[in-house]
């Protein structure tokens, strides 16, 4: 026992615990068919490898034998643009038949499956304890890189196997709940998308009414009664009779954003307002924005012409790339990479979000630029949008808002669970918080 009361768990060099191998380097022409492949992103983004690997590569039998993927294998990113992404780990919790792995990663295979529990390894190697060691050993030239000599000097703490199992189970239970929340949100989001498509893209309720039916599944009777019973020609093709077509800029208030000078500490230090960039949307697993990587002060917000946007503003990334979308569920300021839509006209926010998603092809077609595509507010505002009758729009809004209330609740719970995991992780790994073996 140490003098601080924490257990003196044994520590081992990674090379004493694991056999290390580099992955396959393949030309782009070899991808798209063949056998499952662990990508750099699979490793970077996940404590555990995804259940289903999304990439395929043509690999030989010898390559599949030498670079296979088994339960307990640890994968580390061996090179990266930044030190923060170097040595990030992901662990396989099952055998992946026929799979191989990316040459920008290293595979660490346990020399003894009895010495280390895979779930424990996944959390230890992403703990502040190990990440701190990794930062100390990494070298940065044009790219951060990790070699076997560095790995031989990195340590892993291995308590008794029962303790490893307890730590792994405790943290995995939090991740399982987070995963369940995301799956629930995805199902709710898919229901909202399908309803929008049925009502406002395919016009199924109108077609049903034209055929003489008196109701449509899921549509309130009052909304169905307000529907026309025929489709008519328009610049957008066949649309329900009486529904207007107007530029989206006439139906919502379109705003941009800006970046306060990063050289002025007064704009950033002690920031209280959320400030979003497209990167904040790129990592979203749910369609609602609840937090951002950076915050700005009142002085910083005053530097942006659009200021702090109200809750339920619809956000669309306008460059790098065009097409990320989210509904802001907190007041937020945005940088210049956005088209922000304040829904203070006849179209409510959940309708506008789904309209935006349904029109991404058209939106992207209006983007221009030499360095990267960008759609300006001037190019966005004229895009034609359908304005349905008030009763039908409000019926959709009421239904979808209830779904998004559940999505928001689940997303907020997931943030709380992640905070709990972040609190517990370093304490479990040092024995400051104990689990029952």
């Amino acid at each position: 026992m140490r003098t601080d009361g924490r257990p003196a768990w044994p520590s081992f060099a990674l090379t004493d615990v694991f056999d290390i191998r580099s992955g396959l380097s393949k030309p782009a022409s070899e991808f798209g068919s063949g056998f499952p492949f662990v990508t750099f992103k699979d490793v970077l983004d996940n404590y555990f490898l995804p259940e289903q690997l999304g990439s395929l590569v043509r690999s030989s039998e010898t390559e599949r034998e030498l670079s296979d993927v088994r339960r307990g294998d640890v994968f580390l990113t061996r090179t990266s643009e930044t030190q923060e992404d170097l040595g990030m780990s992901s662990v396989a919790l099952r055998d992946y038949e026929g799979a191989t792995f990316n040459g920008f990663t290293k595979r660490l295979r346990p020399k003894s499956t009895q010495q280390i529990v895979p779930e424990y390894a996944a959390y230890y190697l992403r703990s502040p304890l190990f990440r701190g060691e990794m930062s100390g050993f990494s070298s940065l030239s044009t790219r951060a890189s990790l070699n076997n000599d560095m790995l031989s000097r990195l340590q892993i703490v291995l308590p008794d196997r029962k303790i490893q199992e307890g730590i792994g189970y405790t943290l995995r239970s939090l991740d399982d709940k987070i995963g369940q929340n995301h799956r629930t949100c995805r199902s709710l989001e898919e229901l909202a998308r399908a309803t929008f498509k049925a009502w406002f893209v395919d016009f199924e309720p109108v077609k049903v009414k034209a055929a003489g039916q008196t109701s449509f599944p899921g549509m309130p009777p009052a909304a169905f009664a307000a529907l026309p019973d025929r489709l008519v020609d328009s610049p957008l093709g066949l649309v329900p009779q009486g529904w207007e077509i107007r530029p989206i800029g006439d139906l919502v208030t379109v705003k941009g954003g800006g970046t306060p000078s990063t050289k002025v500490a007064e704009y950033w230090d002690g920031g209280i307002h959320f400030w979003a960039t497209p990167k904040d949307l790129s990592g979203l697993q749910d369609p609602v924005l609840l937090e951002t990587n950076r915050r700005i002060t009142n002085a910083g917000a005053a530097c942006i012409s659009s200021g702090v946007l109200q809750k339920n503003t619809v956000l669309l990334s306008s460059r790098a790339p065009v097409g990320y979308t989210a509904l802001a569920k907190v007041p937020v300021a945005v940088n210049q990479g956005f088209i922000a839509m304040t829904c203070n006209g006849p179209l409510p926010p959940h309708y506008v979000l789904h309209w935006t998603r349904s029109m991404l092809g058209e939106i992207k077609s209006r983007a221009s630029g030499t360095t990267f595509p960008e759609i300006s507010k001037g190019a966005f505002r004229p895009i034609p949008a359908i304005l349905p009758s008030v009763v039908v729009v409000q019926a959709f809004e009421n239904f979808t808002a209830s779904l998004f209330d559940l999505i928001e609740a689940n997303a907020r719970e997931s943030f709380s669970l992640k905070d709990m995991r972040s609190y517990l992780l370093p304490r479990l790994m040092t024995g400051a918080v104990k689990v029952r073996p």
Side-chain angles (χ1 to χ4, degrees), residues 368-411:
S368 60
T370 54
T371 306
F372 47 76
E374 178 177 7
I375 183 164
S376 66
K377 294 188 291 296
F380 179 81
R381 287 191 179 101
I383 295 175
I386 295 175
L387 177 61
S389 63
V390 173
V391 175
V392 178
V393 167
Q394 197 56 52
F396 175 80
E397 184 69 10
N398 292 343
F399 172 69
T400 310
S402 66
L403 298 181
F404 269 63
D405 285 346
L406 294 174
I407 289 174
E408 181 182 352
N410 277 300

mmCIF file of all heavy atoms in Angstrom, residues 368-411:
data_model
loop_
_atom_site.group_PDB
_atom_site.id
_atom_site.type_symbol
_atom_site.label_atom_id
_atom_site.label_comp_id
_atom_site.label_asym_id
_atom_site.label_seq_id
_atom_site.Cartn_x
_atom_site.Cartn_y
_atom_site.Cartn_z
ATOM 1 N N SER A 368 -20.306 27.612 -54.355
ATOM 2 C CA SER A 368 -19.226 27.913 -55.293
ATOM 3 C C SER A 368 -17.968 28.223 -54.491
ATOM 4 O O SER A 368 -18.002 28.370 -53.270
ATOM 5 C CB SER A 368 -19.595 29.113 -56.168
ATOM 6 O OG SER A 368 -19.828 30.264 -55.364
ATOM 7 N N GLY A 369 -16.848 28.311 -55.184
ATOM 8 C CA GLY A 369 -15.594 28.615 -54.514
ATOM 9 C C GLY A 369 -14.445 27.870 -55.155
ATOM 10 O O GLY A 369 -14.616 26.758 -55.673
ATOM 11 N N THR A 370 -13.257 28.465 -55.092
ATOM 12 C CA THR A 370 -12.083 27.840 -55.695
ATOM 13 C C THR A 370 -11.345 26.957 -54.708
ATOM 14 O O THR A 370 -10.898 25.864 -55.054
ATOM 15 C CB THR A 370 -11.130 28.923 -56.222
ATOM 16 O OG1 THR A 370 -10.835 29.849 -55.163
ATOM 17 C CG2 THR A 370 -11.760 29.678 -57.381
ATOM 18 N N THR A 371 -11.210 27.410 -53.459
ATOM 19 C CA THR A 371 -10.498 26.611 -52.453
ATOM 20 C C THR A 371 -11.379 25.500 -51.931
ATOM 21 O O THR A 371 -10.967 24.341 -51.858
ATOM 22 C CB THR A 371 -10.044 27.500 -51.284
ATOM 23 O OG1 THR A 371 -9.280 28.593 -51.789
ATOM 24 C CG2 THR A 371 -9.194 26.699 -50.306
ATOM 25 N N PHE A 372 -12.614 25.825 -51.553
ATOM 26 C CA PHE A 372 -13.592 24.834 -51.115
ATOM 27 C C PHE A 372 -14.983 25.392 -51.393
ATOM 28 O O PHE A 372 -15.183 26.610 -51.435
ATOM 29 C CB PHE A 372 -13.431 24.493 -49.630
ATOM 30 C CG PHE A 372 -13.295 25.687 -48.727
ATOM 31 C CD1 PHE A 372 -14.413 26.455 -48.388
ATOM 32 C CD2 PHE A 372 -12.066 26.060 -48.203
ATOM 33 C CE1 PHE A 372 -14.310 27.552 -47.559
ATOM 34 C CE2 PHE A 372 -11.950 27.168 -47.376
ATOM 35 C CZ PHE A 372 -13.069 27.913 -47.055
ATOM 36 N N PRO A 373 -15.966 24.510 -51.625
ATOM 37 C CA PRO A 373 -17.327 24.993 -51.903
ATOM 38 C C PRO A 373 -17.901 25.750 -50.710
ATOM 39 O O PRO A 373 -17.689 25.374 -49.556
ATOM 40 C CB PRO A 373 -18.109 23.705 -52.167
ATOM 41 C CG PRO A 373 -17.082 22.669 -52.488
ATOM 42 C CD PRO A 373 -15.863 23.051 -51.697
ATOM 43 N N GLU A 374 -18.613 26.815 -51.001
ATOM 44 C CA GLU A 374 -19.286 27.607 -49.960
ATOM 45 C C GLU A 374 -20.563 28.163 -50.548
ATOM 46 O O GLU A 374 -20.589 28.607 -51.696
ATOM 47 C CB GLU A 374 -18.385 28.738 -49.489
ATOM 48 C CG GLU A 374 -19.047 29.630 -48.437
ATOM 49 C CD GLU A 374 -18.113 30.709 -47.907
ATOM 50 O OE1 GLU A 374 -17.001 30.845 -48.444
ATOM 51 O OE2 GLU A 374 -18.514 31.406 -46.948
ATOM 52 N N ILE A 375 -21.644 28.109 -49.777
ATOM 53 C CA ILE A 375 -22.877 28.746 -50.209
ATOM 54 C C ILE A 375 -23.068 30.023 -49.404
ATOM 55 O O ILE A 375 -23.027 30.026 -48.167
ATOM 56 C CB ILE A 375 -24.105 27.811 -50.086
ATOM 57 C CG1 ILE A 375 -25.344 28.529 -50.629
ATOM 58 C CG2 ILE A 375 -24.297 27.292 -48.658
ATOM 59 C CD1 ILE A 375 -26.513 27.600 -50.905
ATOM 60 N N SER A 376 -23.239 31.115 -50.113
ATOM 61 C CA SER A 376 -23.426 32.415 -49.465
ATOM 62 C C SER A 376 -24.886 32.591 -49.071
ATOM 63 O O SER A 376 -25.777 31.888 -49.558
ATOM 64 C CB SER A 376 -23.022 33.531 -50.420
ATOM 65 O OG SER A 376 -23.914 33.571 -51.529
ATOM 66 N N LYS A 377 -25.133 33.559 -48.209
ATOM 67 C CA LYS A 377 -26.513 33.862 -47.833
ATOM 68 C C LYS A 377 -27.293 34.330 -49.061
ATOM 69 O O LYS A 377 -28.485 34.017 -49.213
ATOM 70 C CB LYS A 377 -26.523 34.935 -46.732
ATOM 71 C CG LYS A 377 -25.905 34.464 -45.417
ATOM 72 C CD LYS A 377 -26.112 35.469 -44.306
ATOM 73 C CE LYS A 377 -25.331 36.754 -44.493
ATOM 74 N NZ LYS A 377 -23.846 36.525 -44.469
ATOM 75 N N GLY A 378 -26.611 35.070 -49.960
ATOM 76 C CA GLY A 378 -27.275 35.542 -51.161
ATOM 77 C C GLY A 378 -27.690 34.413 -52.090
ATOM 78 O O GLY A 378 -28.724 34.500 -52.760
ATOM 79 N N ALA A 379 -26.895 33.348 -52.130
ATOM 80 C CA ALA A 379 -27.242 32.191 -52.963
ATOM 81 C C ALA A 379 -28.270 31.302 -52.277
ATOM 82 O O ALA A 379 -29.025 30.583 -52.949
ATOM 83 C CB ALA A 379 -25.984 31.394 -53.285
ATOM 84 N N PHE A 380 -28.319 31.362 -50.964
ATOM 85 C CA PHE A 380 -29.233 30.491 -50.213
ATOM 86 C C PHE A 380 -30.656 31.047 -50.195
ATOM 87 O O PHE A 380 -31.628 30.286 -50.352
ATOM 88 C CB PHE A 380 -28.718 30.322 -48.784
ATOM 89 C CG PHE A 380 -29.602 29.470 -47.918
ATOM 90 C CD1 PHE A 380 -29.544 28.079 -47.982
ATOM 91 C CD2 PHE A 380 -30.503 30.047 -47.022
ATOM 92 C CE1 PHE A 380 -30.352 27.286 -47.178
ATOM 93 C CE2 PHE A 380 -31.314 29.271 -46.221
ATOM 94 C CZ PHE A 380 -31.245 27.886 -46.302
ATOM 95 N N ARG A 381 -30.798 32.331 -49.995
ATOM 96 C CA ARG A 381 -32.119 32.918 -49.778
ATOM 97 C C ARG A 381 -33.120 32.646 -50.904
ATOM 98 O O ARG A 381 -34.304 32.440 -50.640
ATOM 99 C CB ARG A 381 -32.002 34.427 -49.546
ATOM 100 C CG ARG A 381 -31.419 34.810 -48.187
ATOM 101 C CD ARG A 381 -31.570 36.298 -47.922
ATOM 102 N NE ARG A 381 -31.040 36.673 -46.624
ATOM 103 C CZ ARG A 381 -29.843 37.244 -46.456
ATOM 104 N NH1 ARG A 381 -29.061 37.470 -47.501
ATOM 105 N NH2 ARG A 381 -29.420 37.570 -45.247
ATOM 106 N N PRO A 382 -32.706 32.600 -52.182
ATOM 107 C CA PRO A 382 -33.708 32.394 -53.251
ATOM 108 C C PRO A 382 -34.186 30.949 -53.404
ATOM 109 O O PRO A 382 -35.097 30.695 -54.208
ATOM 110 C CB PRO A 382 -32.951 32.833 -54.517
ATOM 111 C CG PRO A 382 -31.768 33.597 -54.054
ATOM 112 C CD PRO A 382 -31.409 33.018 -52.735
ATOM 113 N N ILE A 383 -33.607 29.999 -52.691
ATOM 114 C CA ILE A 383 -34.006 28.603 -52.870
ATOM 115 C C ILE A 383 -35.507 28.473 -52.589
ATOM 116 O O ILE A 383 -35.986 28.887 -51.527
ATOM 117 C CB ILE A 383 -33.206 27.673 -51.946
ATOM 118 C CG1 ILE A 383 -31.715 27.699 -52.332
ATOM 119 C CG2 ILE A 383 -33.734 26.234 -52.022
ATOM 120 C CD1 ILE A 383 -30.828 26.906 -51.405
ATOM 121 N N PRO A 384 -36.271 27.902 -53.526
ATOM 122 C CA PRO A 384 -37.724 27.820 -53.319
ATOM 123 C C PRO A 384 -38.099 26.793 -52.265
ATOM 124 O O PRO A 384 -37.510 25.711 -52.177
ATOM 125 C CB PRO A 384 -38.248 27.415 -54.703
ATOM 126 C CG PRO A 384 -37.093 26.737 -55.368
ATOM 127 C CD PRO A 384 -35.862 27.400 -54.840
ATOM 128 N N ALA A 385 -39.060 27.149 -51.458
ATOM 129 C CA ALA A 385 -39.576 26.257 -50.413
ATOM 130 C C ALA A 385 -41.094 26.237 -50.480
ATOM 131 O O ALA A 385 -41.727 27.227 -50.868
ATOM 132 C CB ALA A 385 -39.123 26.730 -49.033
ATOM 133 N N ILE A 386 -41.663 25.106 -50.111
ATOM 134 C CA ILE A 386 -43.120 24.971 -50.086
ATOM 135 C C ILE A 386 -43.652 25.474 -48.743
ATOM 136 O O ILE A 386 -43.108 25.137 -47.686
ATOM 137 C CB ILE A 386 -43.523 23.510 -50.303
ATOM 138 C CG1 ILE A 386 -43.112 23.057 -51.710
ATOM 139 C CG2 ILE A 386 -45.023 23.315 -50.107
ATOM 140 C CD1 ILE A 386 -43.365 21.591 -51.971
ATOM 141 N N LEU A 387 -44.672 26.275 -48.800
ATOM 142 C CA LEU A 387 -45.352 26.756 -47.595
ATOM 143 C C LEU A 387 -46.722 26.082 -47.516
ATOM 144 O O LEU A 387 -47.677 26.506 -48.158
ATOM 145 C CB LEU A 387 -45.508 28.281 -47.651
ATOM 146 C CG LEU A 387 -46.265 28.922 -46.484
ATOM 147 C CD1 LEU A 387 -45.545 28.646 -45.158
ATOM 148 C CD2 LEU A 387 -46.424 30.428 -46.704
ATOM 149 N N PRO A 388 -46.831 25.010 -46.721
ATOM 150 C CA PRO A 388 -48.126 24.322 -46.595
ATOM 151 C C PRO A 388 -49.104 25.147 -45.774
ATOM 152 O O PRO A 388 -48.780 26.213 -45.233
ATOM 153 C CB PRO A 388 -47.750 23.018 -45.873
ATOM 154 C CG PRO A 388 -46.253 22.919 -45.963
ATOM 155 C CD PRO A 388 -45.774 24.327 -46.003
ATOM 156 N N SER A 389 -50.320 24.639 -45.652
ATOM 157 C CA SER A 389 -51.317 25.319 -44.827
ATOM 158 C C SER A 389 -50.880 25.292 -43.369
ATOM 159 O O SER A 389 -50.172 24.393 -42.920
ATOM 160 C CB SER A 389 -52.679 24.642 -44.978
ATOM 161 O OG SER A 389 -52.626 23.302 -44.508
ATOM 162 N N VAL A 390 -51.327 26.310 -42.623
ATOM 163 C CA VAL A 390 -50.903 26.478 -41.232
ATOM 164 C C VAL A 390 -51.249 25.255 -40.399
ATOM 165 O O VAL A 390 -50.440 24.790 -39.582
ATOM 166 C CB VAL A 390 -51.557 27.746 -40.628
ATOM 167 C CG1 VAL A 390 -51.254 27.829 -39.139
ATOM 168 C CG2 VAL A 390 -51.081 28.989 -41.354
ATOM 169 N N VAL A 391 -52.429 24.700 -40.584
ATOM 170 C CA VAL A 391 -52.866 23.567 -39.761
ATOM 171 C C VAL A 391 -51.950 22.368 -39.959
ATOM 172 O O VAL A 391 -51.564 21.686 -38.997
ATOM 173 C CB VAL A 391 -54.323 23.189 -40.096
ATOM 174 C CG1 VAL A 391 -54.742 21.937 -39.321
ATOM 175 C CG2 VAL A 391 -55.261 24.340 -39.775
ATOM 176 N N VAL A 392 -51.554 22.103 -41.197
ATOM 177 C CA VAL A 392 -50.709 20.940 -41.492
ATOM 178 C C VAL A 392 -49.300 21.154 -40.949
ATOM 179 O O VAL A 392 -48.710 20.250 -40.333
ATOM 180 C CB VAL A 392 -50.679 20.659 -43.004
ATOM 181 C CG1 VAL A 392 -49.762 19.476 -43.311
ATOM 182 C CG2 VAL A 392 -52.084 20.375 -43.519
ATOM 183 N N VAL A 393 -48.747 22.343 -41.166
ATOM 184 C CA VAL A 393 -47.411 22.643 -40.644
ATOM 185 C C VAL A 393 -47.384 22.519 -39.130
ATOM 186 O O VAL A 393 -46.461 21.944 -38.544
ATOM 187 C CB VAL A 393 -46.959 24.052 -41.078
ATOM 188 C CG1 VAL A 393 -45.734 24.488 -40.286
ATOM 189 C CG2 VAL A 393 -46.651 24.076 -42.555
ATOM 190 N N GLN A 394 -48.405 23.055 -38.472
ATOM 191 C CA GLN A 394 -48.415 23.017 -37.011
ATOM 192 C C GLN A 394 -48.584 21.597 -36.489
ATOM 193 O O GLN A 394 -48.011 21.243 -35.445
ATOM 194 C CB GLN A 394 -49.529 23.917 -36.463
ATOM 195 C CG GLN A 394 -49.352 24.254 -34.989
ATOM 196 C CD GLN A 394 -48.010 24.900 -34.691
ATOM 197 O OE1 GLN A 394 -47.629 25.884 -35.333
ATOM 198 N NE2 GLN A 394 -47.276 24.326 -33.734
ATOM 199 N N ALA A 395 -49.339 20.778 -37.204
ATOM 200 C CA ALA A 395 -49.479 19.378 -36.791
ATOM 201 C C ALA A 395 -48.132 18.670 -36.846
ATOM 202 O O ALA A 395 -47.770 17.902 -35.945
ATOM 203 C CB ALA A 395 -50.492 18.665 -37.686
ATOM 204 N N PHE A 396 -47.375 18.922 -37.914
ATOM 205 C CA PHE A 396 -46.035 18.327 -38.013
ATOM 206 C C PHE A 396 -45.132 18.871 -36.915
ATOM 207 O O PHE A 396 -44.385 18.115 -36.281
ATOM 208 C CB PHE A 396 -45.423 18.622 -39.381
ATOM 209 C CG PHE A 396 -43.999 18.144 -39.502
ATOM 210 C CD1 PHE A 396 -43.722 16.813 -39.764
ATOM 211 C CD2 PHE A 396 -42.932 19.018 -39.312
ATOM 212 C CE1 PHE A 396 -42.401 16.355 -39.855
ATOM 213 C CE2 PHE A 396 -41.614 18.573 -39.399
ATOM 214 C CZ PHE A 396 -41.357 17.241 -39.669
ATOM 215 N N GLU A 397 -45.187 20.166 -36.685
ATOM 216 C CA GLU A 397 -44.325 20.777 -35.680
ATOM 217 C C GLU A 397 -44.614 20.207 -34.297
ATOM 218 O O GLU A 397 -43.690 19.887 -33.534
ATOM 219 C CB GLU A 397 -44.506 22.296 -35.676
ATOM 220 C CG GLU A 397 -43.582 23.046 -34.718
ATOM 221 C CD GLU A 397 -42.134 23.012 -35.141
ATOM 222 O OE1 GLU A 397 -41.839 22.577 -36.266
ATOM 223 O OE2 GLU A 397 -41.280 23.419 -34.329
ATOM 224 N N ASN A 398 -45.896 20.072 -33.952
ATOM 225 C CA ASN A 398 -46.246 19.531 -32.633
ATOM 226 C C ASN A 398 -45.729 18.109 -32.464
ATOM 227 O O ASN A 398 -45.174 17.750 -31.419
ATOM 228 C CB ASN A 398 -47.768 19.552 -32.448
ATOM 229 C CG ASN A 398 -48.322 20.954 -32.349
ATOM 230 O OD1 ASN A 398 -47.593 21.921 -32.099
ATOM 231 N ND2 ASN A 398 -49.623 21.097 -32.564
ATOM 232 N N PHE A 399 -45.904 17.295 -33.506
ATOM 233 C CA PHE A 399 -45.464 15.899 -33.445
ATOM 234 C C PHE A 399 -43.941 15.817 -33.340
ATOM 235 O O PHE A 399 -43.396 15.125 -32.474
ATOM 236 C CB PHE A 399 -45.947 15.162 -34.694
ATOM 237 C CG PHE A 399 -45.395 13.774 -34.839
ATOM 238 C CD1 PHE A 399 -45.782 12.757 -33.975
ATOM 239 C CD2 PHE A 399 -44.482 13.485 -35.848
ATOM 240 C CE1 PHE A 399 -45.256 11.472 -34.113
ATOM 241 C CE2 PHE A 399 -43.965 12.212 -35.998
ATOM 242 C CZ PHE A 399 -44.352 11.198 -35.119
ATOM 243 N N THR A 400 -43.252 16.561 -34.200
ATOM 244 C CA THR A 400 -41.794 16.468 -34.240
ATOM 245 C C THR A 400 -41.156 17.103 -33.011
ATOM 246 O O THR A 400 -40.139 16.604 -32.515
ATOM 247 C CB THR A 400 -41.255 17.131 -35.526
ATOM 248 O OG1 THR A 400 -41.972 16.613 -36.644
ATOM 249 C CG2 THR A 400 -39.782 16.840 -35.699
ATOM 250 N N ALA A 401 -41.748 18.180 -32.514
ATOM 251 C CA ALA A 401 -41.209 18.806 -31.302
ATOM 252 C C ALA A 401 -41.239 17.839 -30.132
ATOM 253 O O ALA A 401 -40.312 17.814 -29.305
ATOM 254 C CB ALA A 401 -41.985 20.076 -30.972
ATOM 255 N N SER A 402 -42.285 17.018 -30.041
ATOM 256 C CA SER A 402 -42.350 16.035 -28.952
ATOM 257 C C SER A 402 -41.257 14.990 -29.099
ATOM 258 O O SER A 402 -40.662 14.549 -28.112
ATOM 259 C CB SER A 402 -43.727 15.367 -28.917
ATOM 260 O OG SER A 402 -43.949 14.573 -30.077
ATOM 261 N N LEU A 403 -40.950 14.593 -30.348
ATOM 262 C CA LEU A 403 -39.848 13.658 -30.581
ATOM 263 C C LEU A 403 -38.515 14.298 -30.200
ATOM 264 O O LEU A 403 -37.661 13.665 -29.561
ATOM 265 C CB LEU A 403 -39.814 13.230 -32.048
ATOM 266 C CG LEU A 403 -41.024 12.483 -32.607
ATOM 267 C CD1 LEU A 403 -40.786 12.113 -34.069
ATOM 268 C CD2 LEU A 403 -41.323 11.232 -31.791
ATOM 269 N N PHE A 404 -38.333 15.552 -30.579
ATOM 270 C CA PHE A 404 -37.069 16.228 -30.298
ATOM 271 C C PHE A 404 -36.905 16.556 -28.816
ATOM 272 O O PHE A 404 -35.786 16.669 -28.325
ATOM 273 C CB PHE A 404 -36.923 17.475 -31.171
ATOM 274 C CG PHE A 404 -36.225 17.193 -32.472
ATOM 275 C CD1 PHE A 404 -36.794 16.327 -33.405
ATOM 276 C CD2 PHE A 404 -34.998 17.750 -32.776
ATOM 277 C CE1 PHE A 404 -36.165 16.036 -34.601
ATOM 278 C CE2 PHE A 404 -34.355 17.478 -33.971
ATOM 279 C CZ PHE A 404 -34.934 16.608 -34.885
ATOM 280 N N ASP A 405 -38.013 16.702 -28.098
ATOM 281 C CA ASP A 405 -37.906 16.840 -26.640
ATOM 282 C C ASP A 405 -37.282 15.583 -26.036
ATOM 283 O O ASP A 405 -36.442 15.660 -25.125
ATOM 284 C CB ASP A 405 -39.281 17.077 -26.021
ATOM 285 C CG ASP A 405 -39.805 18.490 -26.247
ATOM 286 O OD1 ASP A 405 -38.997 19.366 -26.644
ATOM 287 O OD2 ASP A 405 -41.012 18.721 -26.048
ATOM 288 N N LEU A 406 -37.680 14.426 -26.540
ATOM 289 C CA LEU A 406 -37.102 13.160 -26.071
ATOM 290 C C LEU A 406 -35.650 13.032 -26.516
ATOM 291 O O LEU A 406 -34.796 12.565 -25.753
ATOM 292 C CB LEU A 406 -37.923 11.983 -26.597
ATOM 293 C CG LEU A 406 -39.354 11.863 -26.080
ATOM 294 C CD1 LEU A 406 -40.093 10.742 -26.804
ATOM 295 C CD2 LEU A 406 -39.357 11.602 -24.573
ATOM 296 N N ILE A 407 -35.361 13.443 -27.746
ATOM 297 C CA ILE A 407 -33.979 13.415 -28.223
ATOM 298 C C ILE A 407 -33.096 14.297 -27.347
ATOM 299 O O ILE A 407 -32.006 13.893 -26.922
ATOM 300 C CB ILE A 407 -33.920 13.872 -29.696
ATOM 301 C CG1 ILE A 407 -34.534 12.804 -30.611
ATOM 302 C CG2 ILE A 407 -32.478 14.175 -30.109
ATOM 303 C CD1 ILE A 407 -34.652 13.235 -32.065
ATOM 304 N N GLU A 408 -33.579 15.499 -27.060
ATOM 305 C CA GLU A 408 -32.797 16.419 -26.226
ATOM 306 C C GLU A 408 -32.576 15.841 -24.834
ATOM 307 O O GLU A 408 -31.462 15.911 -24.290
ATOM 308 C CB GLU A 408 -33.497 17.766 -26.130
ATOM 309 C CG GLU A 408 -32.736 18.785 -25.296
ATOM 310 C CD GLU A 408 -33.456 20.113 -25.167
ATOM 311 O OE1 GLU A 408 -34.478 20.313 -25.844
ATOM 312 O OE2 GLU A 408 -32.985 20.959 -24.371
ATOM 313 N N ALA A 409 -33.618 15.253 -24.252
ATOM 314 C CA ALA A 409 -33.489 14.673 -22.908
ATOM 315 C C ALA A 409 -32.456 13.552 -22.902
ATOM 316 O O ALA A 409 -31.619 13.453 -21.987
ATOM 317 C CB ALA A 409 -34.841 14.160 -22.423
ATOM 318 N N ASN A 410 -32.498 12.690 -23.910
ATOM 319 C CA ASN A 410 -31.523 11.605 -23.999
ATOM 320 C C ASN A 410 -30.115 12.135 -24.226
ATOM 321 O O ASN A 410 -29.148 11.621 -23.650
ATOM 322 C CB ASN A 410 -31.911 10.644 -25.129
ATOM 323 C CG ASN A 410 -32.949 9.625 -24.700
ATOM 324 O OD1 ASN A 410 -32.730 8.838 -23.791
ATOM 325 N ND2 ASN A 410 -34.096 9.641 -25.356
ATOM 326 N N ALA A 411 -29.991 13.145 -25.084
ATOM 327 C CA ALA A 411 -28.668 13.714 -25.357
ATOM 328 C C ALA A 411 -28.091 14.367 -24.111
ATOM 329 O O ALA A 411 -26.890 14.235 -23.820
ATOM 330 C CB ALA A 411 -28.766 14.725 -26.498
#
